[in-house]
Amino acid sequence: IVLVNLLVIIALPFAILEKEWKFYYFLFVAMKFVTDILIVAQSAKHFNQLTFLCWLPLFFCYFPLEIIIILTLNFFYQPSWKGRKLKN
């Protein structure tokens, strides 16, 4: 996980400076996908839920969108908890 996050920092300047930024983007996505598979496969094997791995490509695409949606809604929607407004 640290390697994938570090790759963003390392690959971003190359992606900006190089004409072949698609290569660095593909490298990041491939490493993130492999890291996700390795982590989820260990958990799925431990809990005997190997069929969960079939859904992993869908979740790989869904989770970044979910984060963007939650961050965007945070500016417009203030939830209440037990009748009280939550403060940032």
Side-chain angles (χ1 to χ4, degrees), residues 6 8 16 21 23 30 33-34 36 41 43 47 51-52 55-56 60 62 66 70-72 76 78 81:
L6 184 61
V8 173
I16 293 170
W21 62 272
F23 170 75
F33 190 67
V34 168
D36 287 347
S43 299
F47 292 109
T51 57
F52 180 73
W55 295 96
L56 192 61
F60 182 74
Y62 172 72
E66 180 185 27
I70 289 173
L71 286 174
T72 305
F76 303 107
Q78 294 294 322
W81 180 69

Side-chain angles (χ1 to χ4, degrees), residues 57-72:
L58 178 68
F59 291 137
F60 182 74
C61 297
Y62 172 72
F63 285 140
L65 294 175
E66 180 185 27
I67 292 170
I68 293 170
I69 290 169
I70 289 173
L71 286 174
T72 305

